[in-house]
Amino acid sequence: MTVNLKGRSFLTLMDYEPEEIRYLLDLAVKLKEDRAAGIFGDRLRGRNILLLFEKTSTRTRSAFEVGATQEGGAVTFLDNRNSQFGNKESIEDSAKVFGRMYDAIEYRGYEQSVVEALAEYSGVPVYNGLTDADHPTQILADLMTIEEHAGKPLSEVKVVFCGDTRNNMSYAWMYGCAKMGMDFVAYGPQELAPDRAVLDRVAPVCRKTGASIAFSSDARSLAGADIVYTDIWASMGEEDQIPDRVKLLSPYKVTEELITATGNPAVLFMHCLPAFHDFETEMARGQYELGYDIREVSDEVFRSARSVVFDEAENRMHTIKAVMVATIGRGE
Ligand code: CP
Ligand code: NVA
């Protein structure tokens, strides 16, 4: 299959064929090697990319900004506090305006329908920088990191996602694992089990690729995991649910004991970040004073040799750069 991603949006991995995901991962590896060798191209010269954020970000924004700049592109940052977006102007009208000025749009916000509407009305590629339903650029970085560390093909890798299994990261993992023929277990309480609709959506893909996607509240499902992954217990916009989440998710906190239950001495620990693993943040301290320990992973596991969280963070940039170069770049 000849892969050509020019002009394509990146809204969810469900829109991409395994070969296309492979192409992006290989391009990211090449861009990472180039950067290490001090080679920066001009693949995005003359390209203007809008970075539209309705939620906060450290890694995603930085990855788009640095990634675009290193290839000669330029970015504009807008949020809904300092623009008309979402306030005085419809998504449709805003998208039409953006499409007249920008070559591509990154969007982070709430509804998946917003990122879809931006793609429909702008006429330029739109990148999903996280919605309530998905976080596809994170999965690209995570797949790249797994390939760097796991020592086996993705199709032989088992990922166990611990915690809020109905959040954007868990769903994004289901889409990524389904496409790449991997084994995925969403390990968490029944109260936070994945939506049936998402499981139904990935089932036909799994049949094609040989992937398996399951939900379990049983610790025995950790057995044989190559990757233990977790995420914050209350996603952006859900902070009022912290008391409930702490009650439901404390048994699924990633500790040395949970790692041991995998039975795999080589198991890796991964996290999209930001993470609560100590009390160095005002939020973790404040919640603790209220009686809630919101740490989803122990400091010991987070800082251990099996933790590859900062490689994942770096790989956000290489993979996001690959998405931009593949969709709007010159000559790739
Ligand atoms: N992992 C991730 O998306 O990080 P940010 O929220 O900092 O962008
Ligand atoms: N589930 C988290 C992911 C952050 C990268 C959130 O949406 O806040």
Side-chain angles (χ1 to χ4, degrees):
M1 176 181 174
T2 314
V3 174
N4 179 355
L5 300 177
K6 286 285 173 293
R8 285 273 295 277
S9 284
F10 189 77
L11 306 183
T12 169
L13 284 176
M14 287 300 274
D15 293 341
Y16 276 62
E17 294 301 324
E19 294 81 1
E20 295 171 334
I21 298 170
R22 179 76 267 150
Y23 175 89
L24 289 171
L25 292 172
D26 291 345
L27 180 55
V29 170
K30 184 183 177 314
L31 292 167
K32 185 171 184 173
E33 284 166 1
D34 281 358
R35 179 185 182 236
I39 302 165
F40 297 107
D42 64 349
R43 298 172 181 89
L44 297 173
R45 181 161 46 84
R47 304 293 194 257
N48 286 85
I49 299 137
L50 173 63
L51 308 181
L52 183 58
F53 282 81
E54 294 200 274
K55 289 177 179 169
T56 51
S57 167
T58 295
R59 279 144 289 270
T60 309
R61 178 179 175 182
S62 302
F64 273 100
E65 294 218 9
V66 178
T69 309
Q70 285 181 353
E71 286 296 331
V75 298
T76 304
F77 176 84
L78 285 184
D79 62 26
N80 54 348
R81 287 174 294 280
N82 298 294
S83 73
Q84 317 288 18
F85 186 79
N87 301 313
K88 275 185 164 172
E89 199 164 40
S90 68
I91 294 159
E92 178 179 344
D93 291 358
S94 297
K96 286 175 177 168
V97 173
F98 297 147
R100 298 289 181 107
M101 299 189 192
Y102 293 98
D103 300 288
I105 301 165
E106 179 276 353
Y107 170 78
R108 166 173 287 200
Y110 296 86
E111 303 289 324
Q112 183 76 7
S113 60
V114 175
V115 81
E116 286 165 0
L118 285 170
E120 182 180 345
Y121 295 115
S122 68
V124 296
V126 172
Y127 312 128
N128 182 351
L130 181 147
T131 60
D132 289 345
D134 211 333
H135 195 9
T137 62
Q138 179 69 50
I139 297 300
L140 273 190
D142 293 343
L143 293 177
M144 180 179 186
T145 309
I146 291 173
E147 290 198 316
E148 288 173 341
H149 290 277
K152 53 169 139 168
L154 290 178
S155 59
E156 291 172 22
V157 168
K158 173 176 174 178
V159 178
V160 179
F161 179 95
C162 307
D164 177 12
T165 71
R166 39 135 299 284
N167 82 3
N168 43 15
M169 276 313 309
S170 175
Y171 290 155
W173 261 120
M174 290 184 196
Y175 304 142
C177 286
K179 289 285 176 173
M180 302 315 275
M182 301 163 72
D183 293 326
F184 178 82
V185 177
Y187 172 57
Q190 189 63 49
E191 292 88 334
L192 295 170
D195 267 355
R196 189 73 247 166
V198 177
L199 297 173
D200 288 347
R201 191 173 175 208
V202 293
V205 182
C206 292
R207 280 195 288 276
K208 256 203 331 224
T209 63
S212 70
I213 309 283
F215 165 75
S216 176
S217 302
D218 186 336
R220 282 174 297 186
S221 63
L222 287 157
D226 299 289
I227 311 295
V228 166
Y229 201 103
T230 194
D231 185 13
I232 211 153
W233 287 344
S235 289
M236 287 180 271
E238 296 183 337
E239 288 75 9
D240 60 329
Q241 295 180 43
I242 285 175
D244 201 36
R245 294 295 168 78
V246 169
K247 204 162 73 200
L248 289 172
L249 292 172
S250 294
Y252 299 88
K253 176 175 177 172
V254 177
T255 57
E256 278 302 331
E257 195 187 342
L258 185 146
I259 292 286
T260 307
T262 66
N264 177 8
V267 63
L268 298 171
F269 171 71
M270 298 181 74
H271 193 308
C272 54
L273 305 183
F276 291 117
H277 58 93
D278 56 21
F279 290 113
E280 295 300 315
T281 62
E282 222 174 284
M283 190 162 176
R285 274 197 306 274
Q287 290 295 331
Y288 194 67
E289 278 158 20
L290 294 171
Y292 306 114
D293 183 347
I294 60 171
R295 293 171 300 167
E296 69 273 8
V297 54
S298 71
D299 204 40
E300 190 183 8
V301 172
F302 186 86
R303 294 179 191 276
S304 67
R306 69 177 77 259
S307 171
V308 293
V309 297
F310 295 108
D311 290 341
E312 288 176 83
E314 178 188 332
N315 287 340
R316 297 299 307 287
M317 189 185 72
H318 306 301
T319 44
I320 280 174
K321 199 196 279 186
V323 170
M324 292 188 285
V325 166
T327 55
I328 59 166
R330 305 163 175 276
E332 280 293 336

